[in-house]
Structure formats: structure tokens, C-alpha cells
Amino acid sequence: KNPKVSPYVKVLIDRLEQKNLTAVDAEALGLEKTAAGLKISLILTKKTHASLRSEIQALGGDVGTESDRFMTVYIPENALEQVVRMPGITYVSHFLPAHPTLDVSVPVIQADRVHNGESPLPRAFKGKNVIVGIVDSGIDWSHGDFKNSDGTTRILYIWDQTTSGKQPAYFNYGTEWNSSEINSGSCTEVDGPANIGHGTHVTGIAAGNGLAIGKYAGVAPEANIIVVKTDFNFNHIIDAVEYVFRHAGALGEPAVVNLSLATQQGPHDGTTSPEQLLAGKVGKGKIVVVAASNEGGVNVHTQLSLSNEEQATGFAAYSNTNSKVDVDIWYSGGNLDVALAGLDTNLNLLTSSAWVSPGNRLAGQAFSVNGKTYGIYTIDATETNNPFNGLHHVVIEINNNSGAYDFTSDALTWVMKVRGTGNLHAWVYGGNGAFDSFSGSLAGLNFVGGNSQYSIGMPATSSSLITVGSFVTKTQWKNKDGQVYQLSHSNGIGHISGFSSIGPTRDGRIKPDIAAPGEVIASAMSADAGIPAKYPSRVLPGEKHFILQGTSMASPHVAGVAALMLEKDSGLTPELVKQYLTQTALSDSFTGSVPNNHWGYGKVNAFQAMSRLVTSVSEEKSAPVAESFRLFESYPNPLNLMSGVSRQARIRYRLPSAEEVHFKIVNLLGQVVKDVSIRQTAGTHQFYWNGRNREGSLLPSGIYFYEIKAGRFHRAKKMVLVR
């Protein structure tokens, strides 16, 4: 019941104590098998400015990325207890690995008009002197789309986190190659069949130049490229983003990093330690774009509202190959007890576990009926006040004892039972299951079905990252043999993709931010992925490109647009990039009224975003001049996060001239808890505050001051936060 330890870590310890993990189990849990034993990836929350590097290293561990509050670490299994007991550590967490989620798409978003330098653009923009970072399954570095016209590589660095070799500076694992080594042919990194060349395809969308066969150029075809081949371990993903930004800083170039990956683990409010770490890495000239995830058609979520009653939701495990299925439960206020039950294939109730009340756990229990065991389960409800959002947190983990039991829907339907009073959100995570859609009475239980709302994955729920959904621009293609193929399932051209994950975030914010093409996307094909033999229908004429779909394909379109914008202004902040993208996004009969939780602010339009950027100075000069500077009262005030009326306060202000605006939220001790800087035109603007600090954590109830400085103007007013 140690409050310093996340339920995710406690569940991991339960699995380790079984002493029978296979290599597949270890991979699914995000563990690394070494000659010396298992190595565990953890994210530590530490006391501000505390340095624990030497202590971690003394235990045989390594430190990856470190900030004032967090650090990614890799420790031997036998050092876990000692790490947890370190006085400088306030919280320990562990996350399962994420999963990976142009011939028509580039013209659709009008990137070709940016490449051509059409008016009002002063010249062509193609991402020159900007770094596009790709964190993915790797890259086929020999592909012609990633070479200059003289045959030299456009790739500055490759870091393969999955092999051992010449390690990069600051990180004690993996193998790094620079451009000279890539040009010499000594690079041995491959983007193989495990993820069907996903990283190569993603890189081609964002930054391919089309030189391989003279077509299929990406959005930023002259950008420099840095690729990190990852195993999708969240610690490694965070280290990868740090790696790209470190190299970009050393080279004096701005950078945008694309993350076409996601998980449904976490509270879906942007407060997880990975999201806070990533939010701390972005800034001027440092942008992260992330896929919304592909659960728009999957019941990964359920929501229960209880008033002194009992409700249930069924869920199923897909496969016994993946040895576990997990449910993540989050709620505020009230007290809810949780239990696990099962229905047989005739929908009769098998049995039910004991109820687990807040602050307690039931670990390593066999779910058995009449001598038959279906799985080993843990219900952990020990966390009653998560340090990042103050919520109750319950985790259900079921495993099949490394394949010893059949815990899939062929054998039973699992049932999450909840009783008490409260409003609960839950997600099936780990990619091996979903909630059942059935609602009604069955086997003496009151069932509430699952849905695909609130399915934006982590880290895409962070407000500091740009989140991208997918829409349809094409439904058919002609392959290398001249055969025409058509998608069997598609919402149709112009529509949102059926798989594109849906908002809002659990705390009520609109996500995704924007949508981009994500179906029947043609891009670079890795020669090492075995695509022609496995998917011949997807291979295009010339046999250098192929077709994929997903929000994984949508995200690099927007990353490429961000690279074009950074070529024009290398100091753009994530807030400004998002502002230009959302203010110029296309809305039509397909999007309906925007913003909304399917489309965000609409369909990305590279040309309009760039036009707004390059004309911003002249717009500022010609903008209507406000009579005077004014800071209005915030609304609502008090901001009561428990009322359900509003989850954010609107703060309006008026500028008499274009200014760099510095906005701060300050507590009674004079500490700045939230700050944003943005250049804005003359006129009336507004800022929204959701009661959270810089790291995304909810602040305590109390009096706060909102303060704005713009040129020679400086105003402050008081507001009250209640939660």
C-alpha cells in the first residue's frame, strides 16, 4: 500500500513474483531481458532539483532523460525495492509499451502550393534547415526518398534503441550512426517486418522528397531527418524526443518530432508522467506532433454514473498469445468498490470475486469455477489520491499464466462490477481487449455498455502536444500489377476515418486538435519489411512505395506542415503552431460545426496556415486598433471544477496594438504556476485556464491571480479555484 508506488508498478511486481515470464510476456510488460536478468523501465517523480543519478547508477541502473521533477530510469529487478525507498523519490510509475498506430494527400492539404511558393508566400517553403524527428520502428536509410540528388543521405543521425553498439552521448544504450557512417554504408539498422516498415512510411509522409521514382514527395521534402528506432517503451520514447531536440540544439536548427504511437493506459487528462515529461521538452522551435490513436471504432472506454447502486460492464480478451488484459479505472469523489466476475459462453454468471474497497487490493488470485481456472487476477484500489490529478485510481489485471489458461472470449466474458456512489471512467488498455456494447439486465446484473468516446490515446491527451485525427482522401489505388483495389470498409471520401479516435479528454478538453489524411496513403516502402511477399496488393508501381492507413499516417502530414512553418519562423512555440493550424483549418459539410471531438478544428490546410504565418506582420499593422488595453473579469469566477458547469475559466483581454503577450497564473505565495507567451494582433482575445499548472497537475483550491503583460501594459486580477 506504499503511496509512492503506482498501481501499475504493484501489478508489475505481482507478475514478477510468478517467476515464469516468457520472452513474449517480458516484451508485453515493457521489460528487457539481459544476461544479468530483467531490467525494468520506470519513471520516477522526484523532489524538485534532486539529483539521484549517482544513487541509481550505484544500484546497477541507468538514467535516461531527466528534468526538475522526473527522470526515466532503467534498473535491475533486484534493485526495485531500494529505488522505491530512496528519500528523494516521491512517486514511481511504469507504463506498458505504446503501439504504432502521398500522391493524393499532399495536394489535398495544399502543401504543393507551399512548395511552389504561391502568393501571398514570398517564396517556396520545403522545410529547409529544419529537422524532422521520427520516433518509430526505424527507417530504410537506403531508400531514394531520403537521399539528396547527389546520392548522399538526408538523414543526420539514426539511433537504434534496440541494439547494442556505439552509444549516443547522454544515453547508455542503443547504437548511433551519423550521416558519414550512413553514407559509407556501415549503418546496420533495418526497418523490418515486425511493424511492416511503419517508420519508413511515416518518414516518407513527413519528409520524403520523391526522388526514388520521381513522385510521392512528402510534406517537407527538404527537411533534415533524425530517426530513432524504438521498441515503443515509453521511457525510450521520451529519451528519443530528448535526443532529437539535443541534436537540433547543437546544430542550431528548429525541430518537430512525430510520434505515430499511442496507448489507452492512463487517466486521459494529460497528467501522466510521460505526458508531463514531453510537455516539459517542447518550446520555441521544439514541437511534438502525435497521432490521436486508432480506437474510433473500438469500445475501449466505458463510463458509469452510480448513486448508491451497483453496475457492471463486460469485457473480453482477444488473444491468449498476449498473456494479459488490463482495465484502468479513474474517478473523483465518492467511494466505489470494484469486483471481477465472469459469464460463460451461455451468458450464465460463473462466479464473482470479493469486493475491493478504496485503499485495498486483491492480488494474484485464481479465477476458478468447478476446478477450471480461467486466469490470475489482481484488483488494486490502493491509490485514492493520485499525485498528479487527485483522482481515485483502480487497476484490474488478468493474465493467463503465460498461456496456461484460456482467458479469451472463447471461454468467457469478463465482467467489471462496481458499487457505491461516483462517476467512473475506465479503459481497456494494452491492445488485447475491449468492452462489450451490451446494456441492460443480464444474470442479475445491470450492464452499461462500452463505447469509443474518450479514446484519444496517451500521450495525445497532453495540451502541449498537437494531436491529429484522420480523414479520408482516397479509397482506391492501382498496385504494381495494374490491379485496382478498393477499401472494403471506409466512411467515404471527405469523412472522418472510422478508426480515428474520438475525444474529449477525461477532463473535458476538445481533442484531437486537427485532422489530416490517413487512409490509402502512399509513401516509402522499406526494402527490409517483406511487403511485396506479404502484401502484394499494397505495393505501388515502381515497387518503392506502398499503401497504409491510420492516424499514424495523418500525424506526419501535420508534422511536415509544422516543419514548413518552422522554416519561415524558427522560434515558433507549440501554442503558435497550433494557433495557425487551427485558425486556418478547413470546415465543411463533413466536419460540421467545429471544434468538435471528431475533427478538432477541422481539416489541416498547409497553404492557409503558411499564408497566415507570412502575412501576420501586415495583418498586425492593418488590424483594427482597440481603444485601450483592458483585462476583463474571468468567467466563471469562482472556477468550480466539481460543479460540472464548466471545467475551465475564460479570461478575455483587449490589446490596442500587436504585442508579445505574457500570461501568468500566480498563487498567493507569488509563485508562477502557469505561464504562456504568444504574439497576438490588436483586438480582443481570450485565454482558457483549466486549474492546472505547467506540468498539467490540478492545483489545490484557493485564491489565484491572473496577470497579463503586453508591451508597457500590465494588469492583474483575482480569481478563486474550487475543486
Side-chain angles (χ1 to χ4, degrees):
K1 296 185 179 182
N2 189 336
K4 288 174 57 174
V5 181
S6 159
Y8 303 138
V9 177
K10 295 172 185 174
V11 168
L12 174 63
I13 292 170
D14 292 337
R15 292 301 307 280
L16 293 173
E17 289 176 349
Q18 291 182 18
K19 301 294 184 183
N20 65 342
L21 293 182
T22 66
V24 173
D25 294 336
E27 182 179 357
L29 289 165
L31 306 176
E32 180 184 353
K33 279 201 164 186
T34 69
L38 289 174
K39 184 172 284 189
I40 303 173
S41 301
L42 300 173
I43 298 180
L44 306 181
T45 307
K46 58 192 181 72
K47 294 179 180 177
T48 304
H49 301 300
S51 179
L52 305 170
R53 185 176 294 267
S54 59
E55 291 95 323
I56 297 294
Q57 291 171 338
L59 294 173
D62 288 317
V63 176
T65 299
E66 185 172 5
S67 68
D68 283 350
R69 291 190 64 205
F70 301 100
M71 59 197 309
T72 61
V73 301
Y74 309 92
I75 62 167
E77 178 184 355
N78 59 13
L80 180 57
E81 184 175 349
Q82 293 165 277
V83 169
V84 169
R85 294 181 184 278
M86 287 182 179
I89 293 173
T90 60
Y91 196 67
V92 182
S93 198
H94 168 80
F95 291 84
L96 299 186
H99 54 82
T101 44
L102 293 143
D103 55 339
V104 169
S105 58
V106 167
V108 163
I109 69 170
Q110 297 188 19
D112 57 326
R113 298 180 68 185
V114 181
H115 299 168
N116 294 333
E118 292 185 22
S119 179
L121 305 186
R123 60 176 177 84
F125 291 90
K126 297 184 179 182
K128 191 175 182 62
N129 297 321
V130 176
I131 290 171
V132 170
I134 304 293
V135 182
D136 214 294
S137 64
I139 189 169
D140 178 357
W141 48 268
S142 67
H143 196 286
D145 284 359
F146 311 127
K147 293 182 178 181
N148 297 304
S149 57
D150 62 1
T152 58
T153 187
R154 296 172 53 218
I155 304 170
L156 302 181
Y157 295 95
I158 296 174
W159 178 22
D160 185 347
Q161 296 179 327
T162 69
T163 60
S164 297
K166 186 189 73 173
Q167 299 168 347
Y170 307 107
F171 299 100
N172 297 321
Y173 65 98
T175 309
E176 181 186 52
W177 294 271
N178 59 31
S179 57
S180 296
E181 292 163 326
I182 296 169
N183 283 327
S184 71
S186 62
C187 178
T188 58
E189 179 272 339
V190 296
D191 188 11
N195 289 294
I196 60 171
H198 187 272
T200 300
H201 196 273
V202 165
T203 308
I205 296 168
N209 61 16
L211 288 186
I213 64 169
K215 61 189 304 188
Y216 305 124
V219 181
E222 292 185 2
N224 294 318
I225 301 168
I226 295 178
V227 175
V228 180
K229 177 177 179 176
T230 185
D231 56 4
F232 298 96
N233 176 306
F234 260 104
N235 283 42
H236 295 161
I237 292 165
I238 293 162
D239 291 350
V241 174
E242 170 79 356
Y243 171 84
V244 173
F245 286 152
R246 277 185 180 271
H247 273 306
L251 293 167
E253 293 187 0
V256 54
V257 178
N258 182 80
L259 301 178
S260 287
L261 48 87
T263 178
Q264 292 297 325
Q265 185 176 7
H268 291 66
D269 59 8
T271 64
T272 63
S273 48
E275 288 169 307
Q276 292 191 54
L277 264 165
L278 290 172
K281 297 301 173 187
V282 300
K284 287 187 176 181
K286 297 190 292 185
I287 314 297
V288 173
V289 179
V290 60
S293 199
N294 293 345
E295 281 79 32
V298 183
N299 292 333
V300 292
H301 168 262
T302 191
Q303 183 175 6
L304 307 181
S305 296
L306 302 95
S307 179
N308 194 27
E309 60 185 309
E310 181 179 327
Q311 294 181 3
T313 299
F315 64 99
Y318 294 149
S319 169
N320 281 308
T321 302
N322 186 334
S323 65
K324 65 199 298 285
V325 62
D326 304 88
V327 178
D328 214 6
I329 301 168
W330 298 83
Y331 68 96
S332 60
N335 279 295
L336 297 174
D337 301 333
V338 178
L340 182 68
L343 301 174
D344 65 19
T345 53
N346 294 316
L347 301 182
N348 298 309
L349 185 66
L350 288 168
T351 188
S352 180
S353 75
W355 289 99
V356 179
S357 58
N360 294 294
R361 73 192 307 259
L362 195 60
Q365 302 294 303
F367 192 89
S368 301
V369 181
N370 297 327
K372 180 178 181 179
T373 299
Y374 295 88
I376 307 297
Y377 69 91
T378 292
I379 304 173
D380 190 306
T382 54
E383 188 164 74
T384 58
N385 184 18
N386 179 270
F388 304 132
N389 58 22
L391 300 183
H392 287 261
H393 182 200
V394 184
V395 173
I396 300 174
E397 193 244 28
I398 310 168
N399 72 80
N400 63 10
N401 197 23
S402 299
Y405 312 121
D406 182 1
F407 72 162
T408 68
S409 56
D410 291 338
L412 81 166
T413 297
W414 296 100
V415 178
M416 176 186 74
K417 295 170 56 180
V418 184
R419 71 179 183 187
T421 298
N423 186 8
L424 167 154
H425 288 270
W427 291 266
V428 178
Y429 69 96
N432 192 36
F435 288 114
D436 192 87
S437 59
F438 174 75
S439 293
S441 296
L442 179 67
L445 298 173
N446 180 23
F447 281 85
V448 176
N451 57 64
S452 56
Q453 297 174 14
Y454 299 89
S455 61
I456 301 293
M458 192 272 285
T461 54
S462 170
S463 60
S464 298
L465 311 185
I466 299 171
T467 303
V468 187
S470 167
F471 72 94
V472 187
T473 56
K474 192 176 180 183
T475 59
Q476 65 177 26
W477 68 97
K478 184 182 291 186
N479 83 333
K480 63 183 179 64
D481 299 319
Q483 298 292 317
V484 176
Y485 289 86
Q486 177 86 26
L487 286 179
S488 57
H489 300 286
S490 175
N491 286 346
I493 292 175
H495 288 273
I496 198 75
S497 298
F499 54 74
S500 188
S501 280
I502 304 166
T505 60
R506 187 200 52 78
D507 56 324
R509 290 174 289 116
I510 286 176
K511 283 281 185 175
D513 297 306
I514 202 162
E519 293 196 38
V520 190
I521 303 300
S523 186
M525 179 176 71
S526 172
D528 302 306
I531 304 299
K534 194 170 184 180
Y535 303 105
S537 64
R538 299 187 186 187
V539 180
L540 298 171
E543 301 188 40
K544 295 290 185 181
H545 303 83
F546 78 122
I547 294 295
L548 278 179
Q549 64 182 37
T551 55
S552 281
M553 283 61 253
S555 180
H557 279 93
V558 175
V561 176
L564 301 178
M565 297 170 71
L566 288 170
E567 181 185 354
K568 173 63 177 70
D569 185 347
S570 62
L572 287 175
T573 63
E575 292 85 4
L576 272 175
V577 171
K578 189 182 297 187
Q579 176 181 306
Y580 286 122
L581 289 171
T582 56
Q583 288 181 351
T584 59
L586 173 67
S587 59
D588 56 22
S589 60
F590 297 106
T591 67
S593 177
V594 293
N596 61 56
N597 288 307
H598 290 268
W599 291 92
Y601 283 80
K603 300 174 179 178
V604 65
N605 189 310
F607 180 69
Q608 292 300 328
M610 283 294 294
S611 297
R612 176 66 62 88
L613 173 61
V614 301
T615 59
S616 59
V617 174
S618 59
E619 281 187 0
E620 289 173 1
K621 291 179 179 178
S622 61
V625 177
E627 294 178 1
S628 62
F629 178 91
R630 183 176 178 186
L631 177 61
F632 297 90
E633 294 293 334
S634 63
Y635 178 83
N637 190 3
L639 171 59
N640 188 339
L641 298 180
M642 303 299 293
S643 69
V645 175
S646 178
R647 295 180 181 272
Q648 55 186 1
R650 184 182 69 172
I651 301 167
R652 296 172 61 241
Y653 51 95
R654 188 171 63 202
L655 302 176
S657 59
E659 297 286 357
E660 183 81 14
V661 178
H662 303 281
F663 182 88
K664 296 179 182 179
I665 301 288
V666 182
N667 63 20
L668 281 174
L669 298 177
Q671 298 167 326
V672 178
V673 295
K674 177 77 175 180
D675 56 341
V676 173
S677 295
I678 186 170
R679 184 166 183 81
Q680 292 184 311
T681 59
T684 301
H685 303 274
Q686 54 195 15
F687 176 84
Y688 290 91
W689 184 52
N690 60 1
R692 298 178 184 275
N693 62 13
R694 294 186 182 104
E695 291 77 28
S697 299
L698 277 172
L699 290 163
S701 298
I703 295 173
Y704 293 85
F705 297 91
Y706 55 99
E707 174 184 315
I708 287 183
K709 290 183 179 180
R712 58 190 177 87
F713 303 104
H714 181 197
R715 299 286 188 278
K717 288 182 179 289
K718 182 172 67 175
M719 68 184 304
V720 177
L721 174 66
V722 179
R723 52 164 294 221

